[in-house]
Amino acid sequence: MAECAHMKDDGDCEVKLDTRPSNQQFDPKRPEGDIVISKSVGQGGVNIYDDVYNIQYGLDQVAPIDGGPSPQLVIDGKCGPKTMAAIRDFQKKHFGWAGCDGRIDPGQQTIKKLNEKRNRNVYPTIPLSLNTDGWLLSGMLQHVPHIRACVHAAMTNISLAMNVVDNNMPGLLGADRPSRMRTLNKHFRIDNFKGAKRPVLEKMHDAYSFMLNVLDRPEAYTTLDTTNEGETISTVAFARLGGFHQKDDLTGKIVFRRGVLFATGIPDFAAFIFIHELRHYIAKDGTQGHFAKGWVTDPGMLALKETETINNCDTFAGFALECKNGDMERPIWVKTTVFR
Ligand SMILES: [Zn+2]
């Protein structure tokens, strides 16, 4: 399930997931089942990288009230002072000062207690690396052809409507106005606009056209989040408002996060997220963003003002998907979270 997004002060946005399939391996390096170490970890220990990594991972799954580290450890496979202190704190909590030597030995009481106290549903935050986690990004970019097709479908729909939008005479040029405006009105409610409506369509067409420019070179305009600053592991993506039009556009990229794993296997989900972020990224005047989140029929979306509707990220994503796929109900992975 996708739980869409939160606007940050600087215009970045996130798309959040609210549930995780329990059978899905979320972090590729996550230890499966009980943590087992081959040699001792901690003060005076052998400290093999994999052992330290797994102990750090396990400690970060322990709640502070159960002796877990707060803030969480950086999971880097290196046994430094903070890792050793976290081991001592955990031991002190469960075995008192007598059992507090700062070292975890294979098969002994500390590793047993650690496995007992780990909350297996808590996923520690580990910064992504382009080297080892690049498959997450490529998993997203494999859908670029489908995403391009969605954007093209949206542009075609808008183009076909341009010549009829300001002309209420049925049958002119052989165009059937109601049918050509149907999807546009469903998502963008173009007919609610007063005055000439063609300029509105032209702006929207331009927006999708800019998106194609980004999709021409996704490797230049997208990246993985390799910092993970203060964020939860469930975040999917964010983008700098107007990044495409900034002089240093390559520094403000569309940033995918660990949560894209859930989208990589679902082409329409990937397209929804990507087009949503593209809408932020190609924004020119800073007004494009979140006025509500979710599918076109959600109450929050239906309550949008006209100018908000034509600038809303999810509206752009949902419209393109429907133009590509035909009529569709709200996808199960879209969930509204923001109401006016
Ligand atoms: Zn957003």
Side-chain angles (χ1 to χ4, degrees):
M1 296 289 179
E3 178 177 302
C4 288
H6 304 270
M7 190 83 164
K8 292 190 201 167
D9 292 342
D10 60 0
D12 286 0
C13 92
E14 309 166 9
V15 179
K16 288 196 166 186
L17 298 156
D18 62 354
T19 59
R20 303 183 187 94
S22 59
N23 61 347
Q24 200 143 16
Q25 191 178 339
F26 197 66
D27 169 8
K29 289 177 279 195
R30 172 160 66 99
E32 290 292 331
D34 276 356
I35 285 173
V36 178
I37 52 175
S38 58
K39 293 284 196 305
S40 55
V41 170
Q43 187 107 42
V46 180
N47 293 323
I48 294 167
Y49 175 92
D50 283 350
D51 288 342
V52 175
Y53 185 98
N54 287 340
I55 290 295
Q56 289 170 328
Y57 197 105
L59 284 166
D60 276 356
Q61 287 177 304
V62 177
I65 197 169
D66 277 333
S70 178
Q72 288 187 316
L73 296 171
V74 174
I75 300 172
D76 58 4
K78 297 171 194 159
C79 192
K82 286 179 182 169
T83 300
M84 286 190 265
I87 293 171
R88 278 194 300 274
D89 288 345
F90 180 79
Q91 290 174 322
K92 194 165 72 182
K93 174 83 183 178
H94 296 287
F95 312 118
W97 287 104
C100 179
D101 61 2
R103 201 179 92 180
I104 304 180
D105 290 296
Q108 299 302 305
Q109 64 176 3
T110 306
I111 187 86
K112 286 177 183 165
K113 184 61 75 177
L114 177 62
N115 279 317
E116 185 187 314
K117 293 297 177 184
R118 287 167 63 207
N119 178 351
R120 310 293 174 97
N121 295 319
V122 172
Y123 296 80
T125 300
I126 308 167
L128 296 174
S129 139
L130 273 173
N131 287 331
T132 57
D133 303 303
W135 61 274
L136 273 171
L137 182 57
S138 51
M140 196 67 182
L141 298 188
Q142 70 177 321
H143 297 296
V144 163
H146 174 57
I147 296 160
R148 288 181 63 87
C150 292
V151 173
H152 273 296
M155 292 170 75
T156 302
N157 189 302
I158 295 168
S159 292
L160 288 172
M162 275 187 189
N163 288 326
V164 299
V165 66
D166 286 325
N167 191 329
N168 287 312
M169 282 185 290
L172 185 78
L173 304 174
D176 175 359
R177 189 184 189 284
S179 73
R180 291 206 170 173
M181 293 301 299
R182 190 178 55 81
T183 311
L184 272 166
N185 272 329
K186 176 178 171 185
H187 289 261
F188 292 102
R189 278 165 286 159
I190 299 298
D191 279 341
N192 286 4
F193 278 82
K194 307 277 184 276
K197 300 176 179 67
R198 183 176 168 123
V200 177
L201 297 192
E202 286 171 351
K203 267 194 166 178
M204 287 163 43
H205 195 273
D206 281 352
Y208 282 116
S209 176
F210 284 129
M211 292 181 193
L212 288 182
N213 291 336
V214 178
L215 290 169
D216 277 343
R217 284 205 304 145
E219 71 289 345
Y221 293 109
T222 65
T223 190
L224 275 185
D225 184 5
T226 54
T227 57
N228 241 349
E229 286 166 15
E231 299 295 345
T232 62
I233 200 164
S234 62
T235 313
V236 171
F238 61 91
R240 182 75 52 188
L241 264 178
F244 183 69
H245 299 288
Q246 287 169 12
K247 289 196 180 74
D248 59 343
D249 53 67
L250 294 189
T251 63
K253 295 185 176 186
I254 293 171
V255 183
F256 293 111
R257 317 195 78 182
R258 201 176 307 271
V260 298
L261 178 64
F262 294 101
T264 55
I266 309 173
D268 284 348
F269 193 0
F272 193 92
I273 290 168
F274 213 128
I275 296 169
H276 173 112
E277 300 304 338
L278 283 166
R279 185 71 192 103
H280 289 305
Y281 193 62
I282 58 93
K284 262 189 163 169
D285 58 11
T287 60
Q288 287 87 355
H290 302 296
F291 304 97
K293 296 295 306 174
W295 190 240
V296 59
T297 52
D298 286 329
M301 307 290 278
L302 290 171
L304 293 180
K305 299 171 194 159
E306 290 83 16
T307 50
E308 292 170 339
T309 306
I310 59 153
N311 288 310
N312 193 45
C313 293
D314 275 2
T315 309
F316 269 80
F319 175 71
L321 274 167
E322 181 154 343
C323 288
K324 173 70 175 67
N325 297 338
D327 269 337
M328 57 191 282
E329 295 301 312
R330 182 173 69 178
I332 56 163
W333 31 262
V334 175
K335 184 180 176 188
T336 302
T337 58
V338 180
F339 290 90
R340 299 167 64 85

